[in-house]
Amino acid sequence: MTYTVGEASKILGVPASTLRYYESEGLLPTLGRSEGGQRLFGEQELEACRVIGCLKQSGLSIKDIKRFMDMVARGDESLAERLALFQERREALRAQIREMKQVEDVLSFKCWYYETALAAGDESAVRDVPLDQIPPELREAAERLRGEL
């Protein structure tokens, strides 16, 4: 089955202009056209767009995504390169997740801090609270904020 750019845009949840941009950047080399020149997306192009979206979300530039699509076009000879690219992106994403988890932990600690201060009616109730009185799951964030990590 084939889809127009408008239909593909609805299926993928991206603007049609994004799909046109992908084509203009050479990211969809197998994209067909109708006799009237209308873009026709098949399942292969939809899958490619999903991979492109994933790579974009992982932080890869359009230039590097183009490099990946060129690898795909080269076939099996580029399998090791493609694997290395995905392993690199996965590790970069895992590092970002670790960083964001630390941010979340600090935010959770500060929520506990202010909730406790509000309940006590005074920030001094928690300002210098010892680590052993902080909930265990929040202690590392408290230590990080205190410069103890």
Side-chain angles (χ1 to χ4, degrees), residues 70-137:
D70 290 344
M71 288 181 217
V72 171
R74 288 192 351 246
D76 289 346
E77 74 177 53
S78 69
L79 286 173
E81 287 177 84
R82 288 184 266 166
L83 173 60
L85 174 79
F86 276 86
Q87 288 171 329
E88 176 187 304
R89 293 314 316 146
R90 181 179 61 189
E91 188 48 45
L93 182 62
R94 286 176 175 167
Q96 287 178 310
I97 290 169
R98 285 189 298 273
E99 290 172 11
M100 293 307 294
K101 177 65 175 127
Q102 289 179 353
V103 170
E104 179 189 23
D105 290 348
V106 168
L107 293 174
S108 293
F109 168 74
K110 293 307 270 184
C111 286
W112 170 84
Y113 178 96
Y114 290 115
E115 288 165 357
T116 304
L118 275 171
D122 190 307
E123 190 174 358
S124 66
V126 289
R127 184 175 294 123
D128 297 317
V129 67
L131 278 176
D132 65 351
Q133 292 180 19
I134 295 173
E137 68 275 11

Side-chain angles (χ1 to χ4, degrees), residues 40-74:
L40 297 176
F41 290 78
E43 295 304 321
Q44 181 179 349
E45 289 76 29
L46 294 179
E47 181 180 341
C49 288
R50 290 181 184 108
V51 171
I52 291 165
C54 175
L55 290 172
K56 277 179 55 179
Q57 285 186 308
S58 81
L60 209 60
S61 69
I62 292 295
K63 177 183 171 186
D64 287 334
I65 294 171
K66 171 71 168 108
R67 189 173 58 87
F68 167 73
M69 297 306 284
D70 290 344
M71 288 181 217
V72 171
R74 288 192 351 246

Side-chain angles (χ1 to χ4, degrees), residues 30-45:
T30 61
L31 189 66
R33 298 240 179 198
S34 69
E35 288 182 17
Q38 192 174 39
R39 292 170 182 83
L40 297 176
F41 290 78
E43 295 304 321
Q44 181 179 349
E45 289 76 29

Side-chain angles (χ1 to χ4, degrees), residues 135-148:
E137 68 275 11
L138 302 175
R139 288 180 188 155
E140 188 175 312
E143 289 174 309
R144 185 172 313 287
L145 286 173
R146 294 177 180 180
E148 297 172 10

